[in-house]
Amino acid sequence: RQPTLQGRVRFGTPADVGTRILPGLLALFARSHPGVEVDVSVARSIDMIERIDTGELDLALVTIGNLGQDDSRGEPVHSEPLVWAGRSGGIAALRSPLPLALASPDCAWRRQALDALDRIGRHYRIAYSSEQTSGQEAAMIADLAIAPYPASLLRPPLQRLDGQYGLPPLGDYRINLLRGSNRSEAVDILAEQVIAAFVEYRNPRS
């Protein structure tokens, strides 16, 4: 515990891998640095970049590859395969046109998926649109559609569909950490712990 450290950190994250890692990380940070307040915002990456630039956020995790976004900004902290996912035993992947559950048009996952399908000439339709991964999960669990999804987020009854149904590879999903103009000790310590949390996420101890 370091109760002498005081301050406030305004932190932004997209609603995907970041939200799986942050609860444990923030709980640990709150115990070790009880004098620091952490305000968390969940939003689109493009919106968080704007808030970093206007000084409304001190740190932000952003997904790389979104339309209109400078992907050279920030520090790479995470990369993993983006895969096709659907309900185990489901039939959505057999339908034609292929039903998809996707996010907004500027979303990196959506662009990777549609570009990959266009390259092989696969017919598809957007059957379900949602800004949150929970919406995509709901559509897949209901077997209404399949979706591009980070491999580490898959949980039963969802399964990876890569290598089946003629689905094309999607490449990697990447996250960068952006820092704002406020470079206080509290901000720097939380940034270090975020980076360490992603290392642990990729390489969990047995």
Side-chain angles (χ1 to χ4, degrees):
R1 290 170 62 89
Q2 299 182 28
T4 57
L5 183 63
Q6 303 288 323
R8 177 174 171 232
V9 182
R10 298 161 301 172
F11 187 85
T13 178
D16 40 58
V17 170
T19 56
R20 303 292 176 103
I21 294 175
L22 284 181
L25 165 66
L26 295 177
L28 177 62
F29 187 82
R31 290 195 298 271
S32 61
H33 300 88
V36 178
E37 296 179 1
V38 181
D39 299 336
V40 179
S41 299
V42 178
R44 298 185 310 161
S45 293
I46 197 76
D47 295 331
M48 288 188 293
I49 292 173
E50 182 178 343
R51 294 179 66 186
I52 282 279
D53 291 341
T54 58
E56 297 176 51
L57 290 176
D58 304 314
L59 290 172
L61 292 169
V62 297
T63 303
I64 295 303
N66 296 300
L67 190 64
Q69 184 174 309
D70 180 0
D71 292 341
S72 66
R73 296 185 58 179
E75 178 181 358
V77 295
H78 184 65
S79 178
E80 67 174 275
L82 188 68
V83 302
W84 291 107
R87 184 179 178 90
S88 178
I91 61 171
L94 297 171
R95 293 176 178 154
S96 183
L98 186 67
L100 303 177
L102 301 174
S104 61
D106 59 357
C107 172
W109 302 358
R110 175 178 176 136
R111 294 174 62 208
Q112 285 176 252
L114 298 187
D115 287 349
L117 292 172
D118 287 339
R119 281 196 297 270
I120 66 170
R122 182 74 176 267
H123 295 297
Y124 58 83
R125 69 182 182 89
I126 299 171
Y128 194 97
S129 295
S130 173
E131 290 294 334
Q132 305 295 332
T133 53
S134 58
Q136 291 174 288
E137 284 185 5
M140 289 188 286
I141 290 172
D143 200 25
L144 297 175
I146 68 170
Y149 219 59
S152 67
L153 296 189
L154 288 179
R155 301 287 185 273
L158 301 181
Q159 69 171 8
R160 184 170 178 167
L161 302 178
D162 290 49
Q164 306 176 62
Y165 312 106
L167 294 169
L170 294 174
D172 285 343
Y173 158 71
R174 295 178 293 139
I175 294 178
N176 281 8
L177 178 65
L178 272 62
R179 305 182 192 223
S181 56
N182 176 22
R183 299 298 294 271
S184 68
E185 184 181 2
V187 170
D188 289 341
I189 290 175
L190 181 57
E192 291 171 5
Q193 293 196 8
V194 169
I195 294 168
F198 274 104
V199 172
E200 173 69 16
Y201 183 71
R202 291 190 300 273
N203 306 288
R205 298 176 210 153
S206 56

